[in-house]
């Protein structure tokens, strides 16, 4: 019974992660990391590694679908992509050493939940526009793209979350992509970023012999994320950008409320009373 509940929790986190990836190019870790840390008490560093692993296939399948609908423009985004990869490796290393501290897991879990909640409100209250106009000359566009890429990569490698939406902002505001092209290109970049981040986490110290993460946790997260990312990507190519914003915003805020309640022990109290 315990294994079934664990798989169900992972599948729910993966479902929300896949939908957010396919709808708006968000990182799977926005949902999977707090779900694993809050509900299953998985080490933050390991939870991030699992989230990044799930992100690889989820982003890849979304990229294929957006590519078929001609919403991927990768060449123009190289000035952003290369710094993202570099920053991602640095973020993975920083994450390992910071979360080794006794308060590391709790602090990073609350940071992730708070950031995701604010992000969800932003999507609901002020949806991203179809297209942004930029008055920057090409030189400054390149500089901003490189700096943002390094920052995005670091955040993604550090906590596995936030990279997708920041890439989306950079593509629309700095590089002036149309919204759906930005989503399609964002999930392509996230495929490589998540892959590099996952490899970095595994290479640094993913498996602790005293606290081995069960294989079915990883499989449940990966499969669920991939399936629902494919479904969401198909829908995303048929609806308006405003609708996409609102859907993802609602998902984010609901998820944050659930994970926060779990972190505060509300569900444990309810469980004991039953």
């Amino acid at each position: 019974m315990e294994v079934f509940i664990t798989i169900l929790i992972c599948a729910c986190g993966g479902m929300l992660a896949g939908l957010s990836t396919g709808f708006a190019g968000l990182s799977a870790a926005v949902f999977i990391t707090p779900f694993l840390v809050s509900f299953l008490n998985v080490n933050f560093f390991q939870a991030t590694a699992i989230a990044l692993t799930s992100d690889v296939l989820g982003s890849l399948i979304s990229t294929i679908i957006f590519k078929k609908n001609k919403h991927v423009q990768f060449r123009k985004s190289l000035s952003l992509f290369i710094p993202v990869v570099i920053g991602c490796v640095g973020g993975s290393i920083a994450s390992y050493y910071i979360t080794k501290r006794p308060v590391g897991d709790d602090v990073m879990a609350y940071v992730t939940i708070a950031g995701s909640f604010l992000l969800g409100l932003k999507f609901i209250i002020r949806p991203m526009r179809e297209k942004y106009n930029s008055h920057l000359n090409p030189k400054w566009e390149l500089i901003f793209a490189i700096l943002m890429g390094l920052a995005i990569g670091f955040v993604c490698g550090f906590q596995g979350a936030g990279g997708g939406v920041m890439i989306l902002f950079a593509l629309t505001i700095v590089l002036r992509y149309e919204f759906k092209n930005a989503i399609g290109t964002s999930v392509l970049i996230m495929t490589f970023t998540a892959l590099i981040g996952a490899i970095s986490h595994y290479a640094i110290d993913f498996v602790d012999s005293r606290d081995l993460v069960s294989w079915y946790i990883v499989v449940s997260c990966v499969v669920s994320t991939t399936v629902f990312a494919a479904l969401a990507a198909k829908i995303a190519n048929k609806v308006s950008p405003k609708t996409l914003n609102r859907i993802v915003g609602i998902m984010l805020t609901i998820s944050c409320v659930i994970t926060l309640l779990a972190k505060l022990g509300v569900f444990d109290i309810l469980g004991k009373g039953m």
Side-chain angles (χ1 to χ4, degrees), residues 163-179:
V165 72
M166 288 194 293
I167 291 173
L168 197 61
F169 275 120
L171 291 175
T172 52
I173 297 175
V174 179
L175 299 180
R176 293 173 289 180
Y177 274 57
E178 292 185 356
F179 192 74

Side-chain angles (χ1 to χ4, degrees), residues 110-123:
Y110 284 122
V111 168
T112 302
I113 292 170
S116 300
F117 181 75
L118 293 175
L119 184 62
L121 291 181
K122 193 276 172 200
F123 273 113

